[in-house]
Amino acid sequence: MHMSVERFSYLHEREIDEWMSRIKHSFRPDVQKESEQIRKAVTLVRKGAFLDFRFVQGVTTFVATLADEGEQTVKLAPSVPFTDCTCGEGDWCVHKIATVFHLYSQFHSLTEWLHDWQRRETEQMVLTVSERTPEAWNDVLYRLTKPLRDIGPGDNPNVFIHESSLLDQKVIPLSPYEFEWKPLFELFYRLHLLEAGWSFAHGHLEEANHFTYRQWQVKMWLNEQIEKLRDIGKALGKNPRLFETDAFYTALKTQFREFVLRNDGLFEVRLEIYAILWEFLYKDKAAQEKELAHLLDDDSVDAAFFAAYFNLTKGDEESLASIAERAGGELVGHWLPLADLAAEMEDAGSLTVIMDTIYPHIGTFYERISFSTDRYHFIRKIDGLLEEANFPEKRREELFMIYGEDGVSAFGDFLIERERFAEWAALMHRFNIPYDGLEPDTLKFVLANDPASVMPLLHTYAMRFIQEKNRHSYRRAVRLFKNMKAGAKKSGKVDFWNRYIDTVREQYRRLRALSEEMEKGNLNL
């Protein structure tokens, strides 16, 4: 008769339960290698890795073929204590476990079994956390967040975020019962969670070629963690410290420093995290000086920038200048968040130090920016910071020459603010900026203040509209002629204007629709 997998599982339910019991007691969830083997077996079942099923020897032996680094074949004989796999990796390889799991899942919940098996790990973690030492907490939280470290950069962010949300649930029973200890434990957990997910976040946010929904998901996750850190910092800053927590704060300072210095990329995020936590970790001057000494002695590239942050917040412009001279300005992306902070603090002296340091390297940094929108925002940001730092206008203009067309909008505003209208019009000409690319208020302002300077530019736009040869464009050209007419009248160039508009009318007299629109416009003075 035909034998199905469901039928085989039903007939050998007792033997399958015995196999599941052996697996349960042979593998410990708190042992990393064994836990990973169980997880991998579950993954094989869930992703449908089984390619084929056969029954041999009078349907007493179950043979399964599954895809895992090639094809592996597993044989199970419930009537006798016999299991075999082509991988040859011991009594209970991941393929045998996966096959038993598949049979078990025909009539039972594999998820419930997995949760029950993992509960042993949670119970062990609770016992470990109750020791109330930084070492015990770090050991438990590292094991808890291990699944997040195992997610590769090529995996879908949905998997990453789902795993993170599961960890948020799993950590709840581990949290200390006493209210005074909860925020401190939560802080340890968030640092471990960020450490575990940093590689994934870095790969998606800093190494991506373009910003997509996936990158947005990871960015939102990162923002969420930072907001939770900020809330924890506020809570811990308000409450008096218990004597028993001193060892935890000492350990936190080291872990905190290691996190921001040893991880790669996303410097602005790391600096934000540092800024959130340093205020309550280093409350007194002695603690701040000690941390500053640690940073100055560290040989990592980023250490100097965190030391610069310390000096900036203390208003120590001289020490900041010393660090800037040593660190150099090549890492423009590292200096910009510090420049933003100096501008926010209205510390023009420190901002000048930073902008002087990075000024020679801005052009090189700008050339590496891929997206036009990012270039636009970068140009606006840099010019705003240079203005805040009271940089000479000539030096600001030199950068606009480097930016080229991407800097036209910002450079145009720069020229308008200084009422250099003829240069503004020449800039629009040079880069062939379309009429619809002009700000209406800007054009109106120029016409009101120096109409003669913009006449050649408006003439160019009017000719382009006429060349489109449709009535709508003719009407747009006539509107421009009206603007030019008003400007000519204001400038006292009545004769010039009349000769100009008569010449245009004569040149295009064969365009009947244009002639009609020009007559309606009453364009002569």
Side-chain angles (χ1 to χ4, degrees):
M1 73 175 192
H2 174 71
M3 178 70 70
S4 64
V5 176
E6 294 85 351
R7 179 67 176 169
F8 184 87
S9 300
Y10 175 77
L11 293 175
H12 299 284
E13 184 176 4
R14 181 177 59 82
E15 292 90 341
I16 293 171
D17 285 341
E18 290 177 358
W19 277 331
M20 293 293 289
S21 179
R22 285 176 58 191
I23 293 171
K24 181 177 181 178
H25 293 95
S26 298
F27 293 85
R28 292 178 54 188
D30 55 330
V31 177
Q32 180 180 334
K33 185 177 180 180
E34 296 177 3
S35 177
E36 288 177 355
Q37 193 167 356
I38 294 295
R39 286 179 178 275
K40 184 176 180 181
V42 172
T43 301
L44 289 174
V45 175
R46 287 176 175 170
K47 73 177 185 180
F50 291 90
L51 304 174
D52 183 47
F53 302 102
R54 293 182 290 117
F55 304 93
V56 297
Q57 298 179 356
V59 299
T60 59
T61 302
F62 180 74
V63 181
T65 302
L66 63 163
D68 181 44
E69 298 178 0
E71 291 187 4
Q72 305 293 343
T73 301
V74 176
K75 294 180 181 180
L76 299 178
S79 56
V80 294
F82 171 77
T83 60
D84 183 38
C85 180
T86 53
C87 74
E89 295 181 1
D91 292 338
W92 280 111
C93 67
V94 67
H95 311 110
K96 294 178 186 177
I97 298 171
T99 304
V100 174
F101 282 175
H102 182 69
L103 292 171
Y104 180 81
S105 66
Q106 301 305 310
F107 294 100
H108 302 84
S109 171
L110 183 58
T111 300
E112 290 183 5
W113 181 93
L114 186 63
H115 287 170
D116 182 60
W117 177 77
Q118 290 173 330
R119 193 174 298 120
R120 296 168 57 198
E121 181 183 23
T122 302
E123 293 168 355
Q124 183 61 41
M125 285 182 175
V126 171
L127 290 174
T128 305
V129 167
S130 65
E131 294 178 19
R132 292 286 169 85
T133 65
E135 294 77 17
W137 282 15
N138 284 326
D139 176 62
V140 166
L141 292 174
Y142 181 86
R143 282 188 283 146
L144 179 70
T145 56
K146 182 65 170 59
L148 210 60
R149 291 180 171 86
D150 294 337
I151 297 176
D155 290 326
N156 193 305
N158 288 325
V159 176
F160 176 84
I161 293 170
H162 176 68
E163 189 63 52
S164 176
S165 64
L166 289 179
L167 295 179
D168 285 348
Q169 296 300 315
K170 291 179 180 179
V171 78
I172 293 174
L174 303 179
S175 181
Y177 178 75
E178 299 88 345
F179 175 78
E180 296 83 358
W181 286 87
K182 285 183 179 294
L184 189 58
F185 182 79
E186 175 75 4
L187 177 55
F188 269 79
Y189 167 65
R190 291 296 159 190
L191 281 177
H192 274 274
L193 194 67
L194 279 165
E195 178 74 46
W198 191 262
S199 177
F200 187 87
H202 171 236
H204 277 73
L205 297 179
E206 194 157 276
E207 297 178 357
N209 294 324
H210 57 284
F211 199 80
T212 65
Y213 177 68
R214 289 189 170 195
Q215 278 70 50
W216 179 84
Q217 286 179 292
V218 178
K219 180 64 175 176
M220 290 301 101
W221 176 85
L222 203 54
N223 289 344
E224 181 184 359
Q225 306 313 312
I226 290 173
E227 284 305 311
K228 288 181 178 178
L229 277 181
R230 185 173 283 112
D231 292 341
I232 297 167
K234 291 177 181 177
L236 289 172
K238 293 178 181 177
N239 298 332
R241 293 185 184 179
L242 301 174
F243 172 77
E244 297 93 329
T245 63
D246 287 349
F248 290 88
Y249 280 101
T250 301
L252 264 178
K253 290 174 182 177
T254 302
Q255 291 174 224
F256 182 40
R257 189 186 315 116
E258 289 295 306
F259 171 76
V260 297
L261 293 181
R262 307 305 168 213
N263 282 302
D264 295 326
L266 301 176
F267 174 79
E268 189 170 355
V269 176
R270 285 184 285 142
L271 183 64
E272 185 177 5
I273 294 171
Y274 194 79
I276 290 171
L277 298 184
W278 85 279
E279 291 184 5
F280 75 89
L281 281 182
Y282 312 107
K283 284 188 173 181
D284 58 89
K285 186 175 181 180
Q288 292 177 6
E289 293 296 334
K290 186 176 180 180
E291 173 64 12
L292 185 57
H294 277 301
L295 293 172
L296 292 174
D297 289 340
D298 197 285
D299 58 359
S300 71
V301 174
D302 294 345
F305 295 94
F306 289 102
Y309 171 81
F310 251 97
N311 289 314
L312 179 59
T313 55
K314 293 192 299 180
D316 190 344
E317 185 180 326
E318 184 177 346
S319 296
L320 176 64
S322 176
I323 291 174
E325 183 178 359
R326 186 181 72 178
E330 290 85 354
L331 296 177
V332 176
H334 281 50
W335 281 114
L336 285 180
L338 296 170
D340 286 337
L341 178 60
E344 184 181 333
M345 295 170 60
E346 298 183 355
D347 186 348
S350 295
L351 180 58
T352 300
V353 169
I354 295 172
M355 298 311 292
D356 264 326
T357 302
I358 68 173
Y359 184 87
H361 308 281
I362 289 174
T364 303
F365 183 85
Y366 165 77
E367 290 173 358
R368 294 198 297 266
I369 301 175
S370 303
F371 308 123
S372 59
T373 52
D374 292 342
R375 288 189 167 202
Y376 171 83
H377 291 302
F378 174 79
I379 291 167
R380 290 283 185 180
K381 181 187 188 73
I382 289 294
D383 191 58
L385 291 171
L386 291 174
E387 185 177 14
E388 288 283 336
N390 298 316
F391 260 56
E393 292 184 0
K394 183 179 179 180
R395 299 187 74 187
R396 292 171 62 186
E397 284 192 59
E398 288 173 358
L399 287 179
F400 286 123
M401 298 304 104
I402 294 174
Y403 301 145
E405 186 173 355
D406 290 324
V408 167
S409 177
F411 191 25
D413 291 346
F414 176 88
L415 295 172
I416 292 295
E417 288 172 8
R418 285 146 190 82
E419 298 188 356
R420 293 159 60 178
F421 303 120
E423 292 176 70
W424 174 82
L427 181 69
M428 301 301 110
H429 264 301
R430 177 185 174 187
F431 289 100
N432 199 25
I433 304 301
Y435 176 76
D436 292 330
L438 300 180
E439 289 287 344
D441 290 342
T442 300
L443 183 58
K444 185 177 180 181
F445 181 74
V446 175
L447 283 168
N449 289 274
D450 188 4
S453 67
V454 79
M455 295 283 273
L457 180 63
L458 294 185
H459 167 76
T460 301
Y461 290 140
M463 294 302 104
R464 288 179 186 172
F465 286 141
I466 291 174
Q467 294 304 318
E468 292 177 9
K469 295 185 177 178
N470 62 75
R471 189 172 289 273
H472 173 71
S473 296
Y474 295 155
R475 288 171 180 167
R476 299 189 74 184
V478 169
R479 281 197 291 270
L480 287 179
F481 288 142
K482 286 182 177 180
N483 288 332
M484 295 168 69
K485 173 185 174 182
K489 183 177 181 180
K490 185 173 183 180
S491 303
K493 297 182 178 182
V494 175
D495 292 338
F496 164 79
W497 171 253
N498 285 331
R499 288 195 304 272
Y500 168 80
I501 200 64
D502 288 342
T503 301
V504 172
R505 188 181 286 110
E506 176 63 23
Q507 182 180 355
Y508 296 104
R509 66 180 185 279
R510 294 184 179 180
L511 298 178
R512 184 177 56 81
L514 174 62
S515 298
E516 290 175 359
E517 295 299 329
M518 291 181 72
E519 287 301 320
K520 290 178 186 177
N522 190 24
L523 297 176
N524 286 88
L525 285 171

